[in-house]
Amino acid sequence: MNVIEIKNLTKHYGKARGIMDVNLAVEQGEVFGFIGPNGAGKSTTIRTLLGLINPTGGSAAIFGKSCSEHPEIRKEVGYLPSEVFYYDDMRVIDLLRYSASFYKKDCMHRIKELAGMMDLDLNKKIDDLSFGNKKKVGIVQGLLHEPKLIILDEPTSGLDPLMQQKFFEIILQENKKGATVFFSSHILSEVQKMCSRVAFIKEGKIIKLEKMSTLHENNYKKISIEGKSEITKEALTINGVNNLEIKGNSAHFIFKGNINHIIRKIAGMELRNIAIEEPDLEEIFMHYYGKEDGTA
């Protein structure tokens, strides 16, 4: 069953770019990564999913229901935006009680449990909180009703590294209990830790949708070589060489393809050293985003 189903979703903002023909399906129980730089269309897609804006064309559905026609589905969704804004004069506990009142169930035990995990003082006024602690309030607010779908938009900004790790643990616990997670970020290491599949969005269009395991299989290698003499670009002209950087006697690149082909090419060179590693998601991502620069 698909928890999220997006078909040919398009949103125009006058002459400004929004999103164009976005197609995605997120399965129940999945932790799905949605990756792209700022301005790529991540937040527009999420706002459409939440029914906060209406699409120019195409459709977005959650639990099989149109996001724009069935606002009631939001009761099963937990949302953490990239920035959180609150009434400063309220205490944290009062804000969270008010939020819980929309779900018509007793959430106090859950609020106290999450606040304890996040080291959040429920009796403080919002106005007295740091940005990081306001973000913690947003996390508790998004999870207090134990949603079936959790939508995260750049969720860790403002959290220190220890609290980021605690946040990831909480999200993975929710996933183990059955929640589906849609995780939008430009911080690739976060997605690498969390997600089973990832979609890359660029300039409002999906340019790649891949299983995380596939991105890390043998078809991608990070290769560094050091020659006894200067290395030329022509020496490494072969299909599959991407992001090639040459500095004198050294060369670094990502290779996609049959590893034997590049090894045979390198075997004809006089080398001092060679290193072959698994690239991280950021380097693979930069390959997709760097195609216009002539290196791919």
Side-chain angles (χ1 to χ4, degrees):
M1 173 189 167
N2 291 329
V3 171
I4 294 175
E5 195 147 10
I6 297 172
K7 294 180 180 178
N8 301 318
L9 191 65
T10 299
K11 178 64 179 178
H12 297 307
Y13 296 103
K15 292 183 179 179
R17 186 186 68 242
I19 54 175
M20 178 68 71
D21 289 328
V22 170
N23 289 280
L24 284 176
V26 179
E27 298 170 6
Q28 185 170 0
E30 192 170 17
V31 182
F32 187 94
F34 194 44
I35 298 298
N38 293 327
K42 302 188 303 296
S43 292
T44 296
T45 304
I46 285 174
R47 288 180 188 129
T48 309
L49 275 176
L50 292 166
L52 300 176
I53 57 176
N54 290 320
T56 307
S59 63
I62 293 176
F63 308 120
K65 294 182 177 181
S66 166
C67 297
S68 55
E69 295 173 13
H70 293 275
E72 71 275 7
I73 59 176
R74 293 179 212 165
K75 289 188 176 181
E76 300 294 345
V77 177
Y79 171 51
L80 179 61
S82 54
E83 295 183 30
V84 289
F85 301 97
Y86 298 117
Y87 295 111
D88 290 341
D89 206 36
M90 293 182 79
R91 290 189 308 155
V92 173
I93 187 62
D94 295 329
L95 172 77
L96 294 173
R97 279 186 180 133
Y98 176 67
S99 299
S101 69
F102 290 97
Y103 302 107
K104 296 181 180 177
K105 59 182 179 180
D106 185 3
C107 300
M108 275 312 301
H109 175 74
R110 177 73 170 153
I111 288 170
K112 289 177 181 178
E113 179 186 35
L114 289 167
M117 290 179 183
M118 300 298 296
D119 193 24
L120 175 66
D121 187 342
L122 292 172
N123 292 309
K124 277 200 170 184
K125 279 194 171 185
I126 303 285
D127 196 27
D128 296 332
L129 299 180
S130 65
F131 178 76
N133 278 316
K134 286 180 181 177
K135 199 66 183 269
K136 293 179 190 179
V137 176
I139 292 168
V140 177
Q141 187 180 34
L143 300 178
L144 57 82
H145 57 301
E146 298 184 89
K148 295 177 182 176
L149 171 63
I150 301 169
I151 296 178
L152 308 171
D153 189 2
E154 305 285 354
T156 60
S157 60
L159 297 179
D160 64 51
L162 284 174
M163 200 50 63
Q164 286 181 21
Q165 186 57 42
K166 175 60 69 175
F167 169 73
F168 291 138
E169 289 172 8
I170 291 170
I171 294 300
L172 288 174
Q173 280 177 19
E174 295 305 299
N175 177 243
K176 285 178 182 174
K177 283 157 50 177
T180 302
V181 181
F182 187 79
F183 185 0
S184 169
S185 180
H186 70 278
I187 302 173
L188 303 163
S189 58
E190 294 183 350
V191 173
Q192 194 164 316
K193 288 178 191 172
M194 298 279 290
C195 300
S196 53
R197 283 195 305 149
V198 61
F200 299 94
I201 186 169
K202 178 183 181 182
E203 296 178 357
K205 295 182 179 181
I206 302 292
I207 59 169
K208 191 73 175 177
L209 198 155
E210 200 76 88
K211 287 183 180 178
M212 192 65 70
S213 57
T214 302
L215 288 172
H216 290 290
E217 283 174 359
N218 294 333
N219 59 345
Y220 281 95
K221 294 294 179 186
K222 180 169 65 170
I223 300 176
S224 301
I225 57 175
E226 182 185 353
K228 290 185 178 179
S229 58
E230 189 171 331
I231 296 172
T232 65
K233 187 175 181 180
E234 290 71 28
L236 291 167
T237 301
I238 180 175
N239 287 339
V241 171
N242 304 285
N243 299 8
L244 176 61
E245 294 180 13
I246 297 175
K247 291 182 181 177
N249 293 13
S250 298
H252 308 276
F253 55 93
I254 299 284
F255 180 75
K256 180 186 179 184
N258 187 327
I259 192 69
N260 295 292
H261 294 168
I262 191 64
I263 292 297
R264 282 195 288 269
K265 189 79 171 177
I266 292 172
M269 304 166 68
E270 288 288 320
L271 297 183
R272 292 185 187 277
N273 204 356
I274 182 171
I276 301 176
E277 306 171 74
E278 296 291 331
D280 61 26
L281 184 58
E282 183 154 6
E283 289 160 316
I284 297 172
F285 176 74
M286 291 309 296
H287 159 59
Y288 287 128
Y289 272 71
K291 284 183 181 284
E292 287 82 5
D293 66 10
T295 60

